[in-house]
Every structure is written in structure tokens, then in C-alpha cells.
Amino acid sequence: MKTKIKITPSTKRELRSLGAKLREARLRRELTQSLIAERASVSTDTLGRIEKGDPRVSIGAYAMVMQALGLLEGWGNITDTLGEELAKEQLRKRAPKESS
């Protein structure tokens, strides 16, 4: 049985923001939904859902639209600032004493 994923409000906001940015990028390029949908191998309905930030659309479909718009490069570069800070805190404050 599939487990239903509960999407948090902050995740929904981020997806809506991403969708809006993808729509703006498409419009700035003066490209139609049908052209981008064709290039991304998705339906125009799916592209519309992506541009609205629908969390039920696969991440792969979002990535294909980004590629069709020339925005995919660098998308996977994630900066883990919190993880880096935690790692620094775990480092020893002093070097171990040398044994004689």
C-alpha cells in the first residue's frame, strides 16, 4: 500500500514560487506552453500544474521543464549551510596532545 506524503505549507510555498519563476522564464522567452510541454515531453496540462507549483507532479517533470527552458544546469547544487555548521561544532576545539 502506498503511503501518502503530507506536503507541508512551507514546501507548498516553495513549489508555488518555483512554478511562478518557471512561468515567468517561459513568458520572458516568449514561448508557448505547448512548445515547452513538447520539448519537456509533458502534457500542457502537466506544464500548467507545474507553473502553479502542484506538489503532485513528479520532480522529473519539473526538471524536464527546467531543461526545456535552459535552466537545469546547476539545479542540483545544494549548499548545506546547516550541515556545515554542525560539522564545525563537532570538530575538536584543540588538537590532541602528542604522546611521548
Side-chain angles (χ1 to χ4, degrees):
M1 186 171 148
K2 273 189 166 181
T3 303
K4 187 173 179 177
I5 298 171
K6 185 173 179 174
I7 307 297
T8 62
S10 61
T11 300
K12 288 178 184 178
R13 274 192 307 276
E14 289 299 321
L15 285 171
R16 281 193 303 268
S17 175
L18 174 60
K21 288 176 183 176
L22 293 175
R23 181 176 188 276
E24 289 170 12
R26 178 181 61 78
L27 293 174
R28 277 194 301 271
R29 289 163 175 72
E30 298 181 355
L31 299 171
T32 64
Q33 277 192 326
S34 59
L35 179 63
I36 293 301
E38 181 182 331
R39 288 181 181 176
S41 300
V42 299
S43 69
T44 53
D45 179 56
T46 298
L47 178 57
R49 290 172 46 213
I50 288 170
E51 290 183 350
K52 290 178 183 170
D54 188 335
R56 296 169 295 170
V57 177
S58 76
I59 193 168
Y62 275 88
M64 290 298 293
V65 169
M66 292 176 78
Q67 182 178 22
L69 290 167
L71 300 172
L72 187 62
E73 188 174 331
W75 185 53
N77 295 334
I78 296 172
T79 304
D80 184 12
T81 308
L82 176 60
E84 291 171 4
E85 286 179 29
L86 292 172
K88 284 179 187 176
E89 287 178 14
Q90 292 175 355
L91 293 175
R92 291 184 166 192
K93 301 295 180 197
R94 295 184 183 178
K97 291 183 180 181
E98 291 185 26
S99 55
S100 306

